[in-house]
Amino acid sequence: MPHSSASPSLSRRGLLAAGGAVGLGALLTACGNDGGSKSGSGKGGGAWSFTDDRKKKISLDAAPKRIVAYVGTAAALHDFGAGDAIVGVFGPTKKKNGEPDVLAGDLNVKKLEVIGNAFGEFDIEKYAKVRPDLLVTNMYVKDALWYVPEESKGKILKLAPSLALKTAETSMLDTIKRFAELAESLGADLKAKRVTDAKDRFEKASERLRKAAKSSGGLKVMAASGAPDLMYVSDPSANADLRYFKELGVDIVVPKKLSKQGFFEELSWENADKYKADVIMLDNRTQALQPAALKSKPTWSDLPAVKDGQVTTWDAEPRFSYAGAAPILEQLAKAIEDAKKTT
């Protein structure tokens, strides 16, 4: 586990940096009975089953109507039309001022029971009171339930079965399709106009990014996350969104010396200029330092991409839906279209 000697907040930052996934094997191990390999739908009101990305088959007497999900997972399911089944969320949901966190997407967070609002927070009493049929979350590390605390995992998993969808070391496109499958099994209509419109927009945005990358003259893009002591440079093969951008032809910096858990390279701020980049995608999550805070880091301000104003927002934990991903693709395409070589 990274940064074991750091303060809790720094440890959390390390854990959550650069694409949202790190040394979670020991921290967030999920229960893992193997099941079948096909998912089934129970839309007719009968039995329901779904095989998740741990190859675990979850079977219920009927499609779950009371789901508690990680906030980013819930936001993606909501985009596909399965939001009515979600009664509670955990993970960064509300900012200190009460506004929805960036990860909440289009969820109406005022109507949901917030079981925990930060890493390590999970109120088991609140969770029990909402009478969950199912817990759903992302899976960044094999068999690990994202944001389900290890110390209380046993009690949590006794209250309802868990379901995990793979969100790392795969292409964002494949993950979106899996979220769509789950939403459909929960009763969502994937032919609804809002879903098909979002898919059309996603496909157009993908094509726009492909064209932007092809005509960019070899612009180099770096995905980074800032913490007080470190800058994290993310590995495109581990992060689903970066992997998809690379598939579309974007030239993304590949860090050479990954941390033990993979996902990124940790650089001290003195070495922030190790990799040349024409465009920097900067982690926009609450726990990451934003541009105003990074002004205090001289080595950040000296980076050519920063000097030239070629820094764009990076949704380091993207919403795995067409509606969530389309604006991300459009934003990166625009950043590349507007950028020039810095060296």
Side-chain angles (χ1 to χ4, degrees):
M1 190 165 113
H3 316 154
S4 56
S5 62
S7 71
S9 62
L10 285 184
S11 297
R12 192 188 75 237
R13 269 202 193 90
L15 280 165
L16 302 178
V22 238
L24 302 175
L27 190 70
L28 299 174
T29 312
C31 65
N33 300 322
D34 281 354
S37 59
K38 290 183 183 175
S39 58
S41 169
K43 278 199 283 185
W48 177 90
S49 70
F50 190 91
T51 299
D52 75 357
D53 292 341
R54 297 168 296 176
K55 304 297 181 213
K56 180 179 175 181
K57 187 174 184 180
I58 299 97
S59 298
L60 299 170
D61 293 340
K65 298 292 183 202
R66 301 186 64 77
I67 294 173
V68 172
Y70 175 63
V71 61
T73 316
L77 291 173
H78 170 81
D79 289 341
F80 282 115
D84 289 348
I86 296 160
V87 294
V89 289
F90 55 95
T93 305
K94 293 178 182 176
K95 297 179 185 173
K96 284 178 184 172
N97 63 4
E99 292 291 310
D101 189 274
V102 65
L103 297 180
D106 294 329
L107 288 173
N108 184 347
V109 297
K110 290 174 185 169
K111 287 189 172 179
L112 297 168
E113 189 68 60
V114 180
I115 310 297
N117 198 48
F119 190 73
E121 285 182 11
F122 198 107
D123 189 322
I124 299 175
E125 254 181 63
K126 265 190 189 180
Y127 181 57
K129 277 181 184 171
V130 300
R131 306 185 317 281
D133 298 325
L134 183 69
L135 182 147
V136 187
T137 190
N138 294 351
M139 182 172 69
Y140 285 97
V141 173
K142 190 178 185 316
D143 292 341
L145 296 177
W146 190 225
Y147 266 73
V148 175
E150 169 65 19
E151 60 275 14
S152 52
K153 182 192 71 178
K155 290 178 183 175
I156 293 164
L157 297 181
K158 278 178 185 170
L159 294 169
S162 62
L163 188 156
L165 293 180
K166 188 176 182 182
T167 48
E169 296 181 332
T170 183
S171 172
M172 180 165 71
L173 187 58
D174 295 328
T175 303
I176 289 172
K177 286 174 181 172
R178 284 293 280 155
F179 272 80
E181 281 174 30
L182 176 57
E184 187 173 38
S185 86
L186 296 170
D189 178 9
L190 299 187
K191 293 189 175 75
K193 191 173 187 301
R194 62 179 274 193
V195 180
T196 56
D197 284 356
K199 189 177 182 185
D200 287 346
R201 182 180 170 187
F202 172 85
E203 287 169 351
K204 283 177 184 158
S206 296
E207 193 50 40
R208 179 181 171 187
L209 182 55
R210 191 194 300 276
K211 285 179 180 168
K214 194 173 181 181
S215 58
S216 72
L219 284 178
K220 203 90 174 161
V221 177
M222 181 169 73
S225 184
D229 299 328
L230 295 168
M231 185 173 91
Y232 301 91
V233 178
S234 284
D235 176 18
S237 66
N239 293 275
D241 57 339
L242 303 183
R243 185 182 282 214
Y244 184 55
F245 303 157
K246 203 171 177 188
E247 287 167 4
L248 293 173
V250 180
D251 188 359
I252 297 178
V253 168
V254 179
K256 294 183 176 68
K257 195 178 176 185
L258 296 179
S259 66
K260 196 165 66 174
Q261 296 81 14
F263 292 96
F264 55 80
E265 178 173 349
E266 301 173 358
L267 297 177
S268 66
W269 281 108
E270 292 76 27
N271 296 313
D273 61 352
K274 179 174 178 179
Y275 298 106
K276 287 183 166 55
D278 304 298
V279 175
I280 295 174
M281 299 167 62
L282 185 67
D283 186 347
N284 69 347
R285 289 170 303 163
T286 307
Q287 70 268 11
L289 296 186
Q290 299 308 307
L294 286 169
K295 283 180 183 170
S296 66
K297 308 287 183 192
T299 50
W300 168 260
S301 300
D302 285 344
L303 293 174
V306 178
K307 278 184 172 175
D308 288 355
Q310 294 180 177
V311 177
T312 189
T313 300
W314 176 34
D315 291 72
E317 274 190 64
R319 213 157 85 230
F320 292 103
S321 66
Y322 297 118
I328 293 170
L329 292 162
E330 290 165 354
Q331 184 171 278
L332 181 56
K334 185 176 190 315
I336 291 172
E337 288 161 0
D338 293 347
K340 62 182 195 303
K341 292 288 278 183
T342 58
T343 51

